[in-house]
Amino acid sequence: MQTRKKYIFLTFLASWLLLFFLGGDQLRRFAFFSGRRKAEAQRNWPRWTDRSLLKTFADPRELQSDGDPSLPSPQERRAARLSVYKNSRCRMETCFDFSRCQKHGFKVFTYPRDREQPLSESHSKILTSIERSRYYTPDPEEACLFILSIDTLDRDHLSGQYVRNVDEKIRSFPLWNGGRNHLIFNLYSGTWPNYTEDLGFDIGQAILAKASFYTQSFRPGFDISIPLFSKDHPQRGGEKGWLHQDSIPPRKKYLLVFKGKRYLTGIGSGTRNALHHIHNGKDIISLTTCKHGKDWEKHKDTRCDKDNVDYEKFDYQELLHNSTFCIVPRGRRLGSFRFLEALQAACIPVLLSDGWELPFAEVIDWGKAAVVGNERLLLQVPSIVRCIHPERVLAFQQQTQFLWDAYFSSVDKIVHTTLEIIKDRLLPHRSHSRFLWNTLPGGLLALPDFSTHLGDFPFYYLQHGSNPSEKFTAFIRVVSPAGSPSQPILRLIQAVSGSQYCAQILVLWSCEEPPPPSGRWPQTTVPLTIIQGRGKVRGWGLGDRFFPYAAIQTDAVLSLDEHSSLSTSEVDFAFVVWRSFPERIVGFLTQSHFWDPEQRRWGYTSKWTNELSIVLTAAAFYHRYYHSLFTEYLPAGLRELVDSLAACEDILMNVLVAAVTKLPPIKVTQHKQHKETVPQQVGCKDGDVETPPAREWSLSSPHSPPAKDKGTSGVGSSRRFSQQQDCLTQLADWFGYMPLVSSQLRLDPVLFKDQVSVLRKKYPRLERP
């Protein structure tokens, strides 16, 4: 047994030695080359060997190289960033002088324009937006923030709009101060092939409002990311979003679409070259074209010809209208025009731009309006969007429309949002909450100077779970000089004070002559206070009735003229209606606007028709917030318009409320039928401003037009109508669109004029003649 084991061992040893001496050299050579091939494979990854599984359209040499030599390395990017942002540690606390904003508030000064230096259309719009805004001041001593007149939007030195020697120019400005308290706008930075964020000049300590902002260059809490917009973007107003009330169901013909350029080489080419992998020709459409640039044919690959043919089969606007999601990949830079186009079309943006600081992300919650993807996980995008529930899809679409209308539809809104963000940083205790920025009507129309408590605004009662106050303040404006109150005023005060909902009565005495002594005013069950008119306070003359007087403590304001004629029942019913619609104007006296196709302008009529769009504030309820909005939000240009046109107050207030709510006013019934006539008495003088005579509301047929009597009354009526027409035209031009919304709704009490017992009716007095 032992001998057998010995023979087996010797045989195995002899075989091993024979193999080593005769084939060892071949084994060593095989191991050496195998290891070298394995190392080469690791260095040259990816090596696509199975072309049937993933067909490649890239040049093999490009795949075998360690990287694209045209792309900057991380070290080069870091060096370029540091050369531009030498003050990369800037924060508002370290690079902004808050003391300049303490005396005059948040005022913005634009440098005088140099006639020898041409401005691009976009930069001119930005400067105009600031100069037309409520933030603007022509006095640099009052300014908190400064805007250069030098065009810094396009910093691509290959562009025809590139401005040279910017460093030398800005250093010559005495107000520059190293860029402190300055704001610089930029849309394009860098140039081919790297497209770095180099602006070509030192911004110093200036705040940078920039499109296509890279997160590593962005200074949080200091810089602001803005959207990329074209030179054709409207100055003001802007087109409405494409989502309508009948756009149901939320899912459309196509689930996911893209149609755009495909870069064959260079930065931004990776993502767009891979988009064809998700195209299925059914509910996912991904179309690219190589036809751009002068030498595209030199770089075209085997897929270009087919792509170019398929590209022409679909219309881009049609795809936007009929798609639920729109892919927004990066271009040469991180941002693209496609982002705003998708927002307007209610096509939920699917963002494929790694490292992009999204526009106004400091205040906007993009997680409610867009899908932020990863360029490396492109193939997962279809399954991700398919998993989103239809209710969530509709919520996304609605939010895109809100954001588009509130912040992006015009250059004015983009610029004003930028300025409002900076203003919030100056007074954090009186800044917009994130809820105000991301909920209707938006941060530009919800003023934190009025309140930071949601329950104080007329828009958020439902979300806040509260109701407006159960009392109102009657606000009567008197412009007729007299030694004692007239009989119409006395009757009006008695009727209003008899309301169970009246908390106080304020009489605005808009005359230079002193008001009658307290003994001549009637005794009421509620406090009656006389307020002296403010005249030209803060630039306001005729608009002092809408000043936010501290004496107004209730949410509801009943605005009245001295010649208004209302009963207690009318007041009670109108207030009950207003509490159900606290964001709207609720009143009795209505007028309307219309489009005149012959003169191609908006028309104004006081004739009684089936439609209404204006409720006159001579007898109307509205929320006291609109006093603050009227005074603080509207710019100096509209103040001058109100001063020049005495009949513009009512229209401007209605236009303002409609611009905020996107809703029409509400008309309630009254037991009297009124018409507007102009009294022959003369209005009082308030300093150097002559206050117009009060409007008188008297009995008339429901269908009669405004009085056109001979003499002074007829001339006054014609002049007033002409002013109203001019006012409406100028307001439509100022806002860039017509905010007024028409309605055919009138609210009556239950059982109003029904043939039932009077005892069953809550407001029987409304039916008495």
Side-chain angles (χ1 to χ4, degrees):
M1 186 68 179
Q2 294 179 352
T3 305
R4 182 181 298 177
K5 290 183 179 179
K6 185 185 298 183
Y7 280 118
I8 293 174
F9 175 76
L10 291 174
T11 303
F12 175 76
L13 180 62
S15 301
W16 186 85
L17 291 174
L18 184 63
L19 179 65
F20 177 79
F21 284 108
L22 296 180
D25 184 61
Q26 296 293 331
L27 287 173
R28 286 193 297 271
R29 291 178 60 188
F30 177 77
F32 173 78
F33 284 109
S34 298
R36 187 171 67 175
R37 289 195 195 98
K38 184 175 182 181
E40 288 179 355
Q42 291 176 348
R43 286 198 304 269
N44 296 332
W45 185 91
R47 177 189 294 272
W48 310 117
T49 57
D50 193 345
R51 296 178 180 271
S52 63
L53 294 179
L54 181 62
K55 185 178 180 181
T56 177
F57 295 96
D59 190 286
R61 291 171 297 178
E62 181 181 344
L63 290 177
Q64 300 301 327
S65 64
D66 290 334
D68 189 345
S70 66
L71 299 180
S73 66
Q75 183 178 2
E76 292 172 335
R77 281 188 173 276
R78 187 161 49 251
R81 177 170 61 89
L82 292 177
S83 68
V84 178
Y85 305 97
K86 295 181 180 179
N87 294 280
S88 59
R89 297 181 180 269
C90 263
R91 296 296 182 266
M92 293 295 292
E93 296 78 8
T94 59
C95 296
F96 196 91
D97 185 3
F98 286 76
S99 63
R100 292 198 62 98
C101 313
Q102 294 176 354
K103 185 176 181 180
H104 300 284
F106 185 69
K107 295 295 181 181
V108 183
F109 173 78
T110 58
Y111 280 61
R113 305 188 189 189
D114 186 358
R115 296 181 179 179
E116 297 181 357
Q117 181 66 54
L119 294 178
S120 66
E121 188 174 351
S122 296
H123 192 66
S124 179
K125 288 180 179 179
I126 290 176
L127 296 180
T128 301
S129 296
I130 297 172
E131 292 164 358
R132 294 175 67 253
S133 72
R134 68 182 188 274
Y135 313 101
Y136 176 71
T137 177
D139 185 0
E141 296 298 324
E142 297 181 356
C144 167
L145 189 67
F146 299 86
I147 311 294
L148 295 176
S149 60
I150 299 176
D151 192 343
T152 58
L153 292 185
D154 194 343
R155 300 308 297 162
D156 185 343
H157 64 78
L158 297 179
S159 170
Q161 296 180 341
Y162 180 81
V163 178
R164 304 184 183 279
N165 304 320
V166 173
D167 262 326
E168 298 177 7
K169 295 177 181 179
I170 60 178
R171 288 172 186 169
S172 65
F173 296 147
L175 298 173
W176 174 243
N177 191 24
R180 205 171 182 85
N181 288 55
H182 280 68
L183 175 64
I184 294 176
F185 287 91
N186 173 256
L187 295 181
Y188 307 97
S189 62
T191 187
W192 171 267
N194 296 334
Y195 292 96
T196 63
E197 302 207 347
D198 184 12
L199 300 182
F201 67 95
D202 182 12
I203 65 173
Q205 297 181 345
I207 299 172
L208 185 59
K210 183 179 181 303
S212 304
F213 230 133
Y214 191 48
T215 52
Q216 293 187 6
S217 303
F218 182 76
R219 296 170 290 183
F222 193 72
D223 292 329
I224 298 176
S225 178
I226 63 175
L228 181 66
F229 59 90
S230 69
K231 64 178 182 179
D232 298 323
H233 206 58
Q235 173 76 65
R236 50 187 178 274
E239 298 181 3
K240 294 183 179 180
W242 295 358
L243 185 66
H244 303 287
Q245 293 181 351
D246 56 352
S247 300
I248 302 294
R251 294 194 182 275
K252 304 178 184 178
K253 180 179 180 180
Y254 302 111
L255 174 68
L256 183 67
V257 300
F258 172 80
K259 183 180 180 182
K261 299 176 182 178
R262 177 163 69 89
Y263 306 118
L264 299 174
T265 59
I267 190 169
S269 60
T271 302
R272 297 203 176 198
N273 273 329
L275 285 174
H276 74 282
H277 289 298
I278 63 174
H279 174 81
N280 63 15
K282 298 177 182 178
D283 62 341
I284 299 179
I285 305 298
S286 180
L287 307 170
T288 57
T289 179
C290 305
K291 286 184 177 180
H292 57 89
K294 297 179 180 179
D295 55 350
W296 69 271
E297 292 185 348
K298 296 181 181 179
H299 302 281
K300 77 173 185 177
D301 53 30
T302 57
R303 205 176 79 230
C304 275
D305 292 334
K306 182 179 184 302
D307 284 353
N308 293 339
V309 173
D310 294 340
Y311 186 85
E312 301 298 333
K313 294 180 180 179
F314 291 84
D315 179 72
Y316 179 62
Q317 296 296 322
E318 182 183 352
L319 288 176
L320 286 178
H321 272 284
N322 293 284
S323 180
T324 306
F325 296 90
C326 285
I327 298 178
V328 183
R330 65 162 298 157
R332 293 300 191 189
R333 299 173 178 89
L334 294 177
S336 67
F337 298 139
R338 192 178 311 276
F339 179 67
L340 292 186
E341 293 169 350
L343 280 183
Q344 182 185 7
C347 188
I348 302 170
V350 179
L351 306 177
L352 296 175
S353 185
D354 296 350
W356 183 23
E357 179 70 20
L358 297 182
F360 305 139
E362 180 177 341
V363 296
I364 293 178
D365 184 0
W366 284 110
K368 297 180 179 180
V371 177
V372 181
N374 190 313
E375 293 182 55
R376 300 178 181 179
L377 304 178
L378 169 64
L379 299 182
Q380 296 183 9
V381 169
S383 60
I384 291 174
V385 297
R386 290 186 193 278
C387 293
I388 301 178
H389 194 273
E391 293 182 359
R392 187 63 178 161
V393 169
L394 183 57
F396 269 75
Q397 291 173 336
Q398 291 172 339
Q399 192 69 2
T400 63
Q401 299 303 273
F402 159 66
L403 295 177
W404 165 259
D405 181 73
Y407 307 119
F408 299 108
S409 61
S410 67
V411 177
D412 277 4
K413 292 177 181 177
I414 294 174
V415 173
H416 295 172
T417 302
T418 303
L419 297 179
E420 199 67 27
I421 291 174
I422 298 175
K423 182 182 177 183
D424 274 359
R425 296 171 180 173
L426 303 179
L427 298 171
H429 63 286
R430 287 196 307 176
S431 61
H432 297 83
S433 66
R434 202 166 180 85
F435 179 87
L436 294 179
W437 280 109
N438 292 276
T439 309
L440 285 167
L444 298 183
L445 294 170
L447 305 182
D449 291 338
F450 171 74
S451 177
T452 56
H453 179 57
L454 298 180
D456 292 335
F457 292 90
F459 328 110
Y460 308 120
Y461 289 117
L462 183 61
Q463 296 95 324
H464 194 254
S466 61
N467 295 305
S469 58
E470 298 180 356
K471 298 287 184 178
F472 68 84
T473 297
F475 195 70
I476 306 174
R477 187 188 188 200
V478 178
V479 298
S480 301
S484 61
S486 62
Q487 287 300 316
I489 297 179
L490 296 177
R491 289 193 298 268
L492 182 61
I493 292 176
Q494 292 293 346
V496 173
S497 64
S499 171
Q500 59 180 318
Y501 306 111
C502 183
Q504 63 175 338
I505 298 176
L506 302 179
V507 177
L508 178 62
W509 190 260
S510 297
C511 288
E512 195 174 51
E513 293 83 354
S518 58
R520 295 190 178 184
W521 293 94
Q523 297 295 324
T524 60
T525 57
V526 297
L528 189 149
T529 307
I530 310 300
I531 301 177
Q532 186 66 46
R534 302 179 66 91
K536 280 196 171 182
V537 58
R538 298 188 64 185
W540 289 99
L542 304 177
D544 64 345
R545 74 179 303 167
F546 297 128
F547 188 82
Y549 295 96
I552 303 177
Q553 297 296 322
T554 60
D555 292 335
V557 177
L558 174 57
S559 177
L560 297 166
D561 278 356
E562 58 185 307
H563 290 279
S564 300
S565 175
L566 293 175
S567 67
T568 303
S569 295
E570 290 174 313
V571 173
D572 285 347
F573 175 64
F575 178 69
V576 170
V577 171
W578 176 86
R579 292 199 74 222
S580 298
F581 306 94
E583 75 280 7
R584 304 203 212 182
I585 299 178
V586 176
F588 304 91
L589 308 162
T590 62
Q591 296 178 349
S592 60
H593 75 291
F594 62 93
W595 175 253
D596 189 342
E598 295 182 357
Q599 299 187 8
R600 299 190 60 79
R601 57 179 289 183
W602 291 101
Y604 176 90
T605 179
S606 57
K607 293 182 179 181
W608 291 17
T609 64
N610 289 330
E611 288 196 347
L612 63 99
S613 57
I614 298 172
V615 168
L616 300 183
T617 55
F621 281 98
Y622 52 79
H623 199 282
R624 67 187 176 99
Y625 172 67
Y626 294 125
H627 277 234
S628 295
L629 198 64
F630 192 94
T631 304
E632 303 294 338
Y633 173 78
L634 297 177
L638 290 183
R639 302 175 190 175
E640 297 172 359
L641 177 63
V642 172
D643 283 342
S644 61
L645 300 175
C648 202
E649 281 181 328
D650 287 320
I651 301 176
L652 180 54
M653 176 56 86
N654 277 267
V655 167
L656 178 61
V657 175
V660 173
T661 64
K662 308 296 188 296
L663 296 170
I666 294 178
K667 175 181 173 59
V668 292
T669 188
Q670 74 269 16
H671 77 280
K672 295 180 180 179
Q673 304 295 343
H674 303 281
K675 75 170 184 178
E676 181 179 7
T677 61
V678 180
Q680 297 186 15
Q681 59 193 12
V682 179
C684 65
K685 288 189 176 182
D686 186 5
D688 58 344
V689 180
E690 183 176 349
T691 307
R695 291 164 292 187
E696 181 179 2
W697 309 103
S698 58
L699 298 178
S700 172
S701 168
H703 303 287
S704 62
K708 294 185 179 180
D709 301 332
K710 294 181 180 180
T712 307
S713 178
V715 174
S717 178
S718 177
R719 180 172 178 270
R720 182 178 181 82
F721 179 79
S722 177
Q723 289 182 345
Q724 292 167 333
Q725 183 75 44
D726 293 342
C727 173
L728 189 66
T729 301
Q730 293 187 47
L731 290 180
D733 178 69
W734 185 274
F735 281 86
Y737 71 107
M738 173 50 68
L740 292 176
V741 182
S742 297
S743 171
Q744 296 182 351
L745 174 67
R746 188 187 81 178
L747 296 183
D748 298 337
V750 177
L751 301 180
F752 180 68
K753 291 189 176 181
D754 285 356
Q755 300 299 320
V756 297
S757 172
V758 176
L759 298 177
R760 298 177 60 186
K761 299 182 179 182
K762 187 174 182 178
Y763 304 100
R765 294 180 180 272
L766 290 180
E767 301 181 28
R768 296 181 180 179

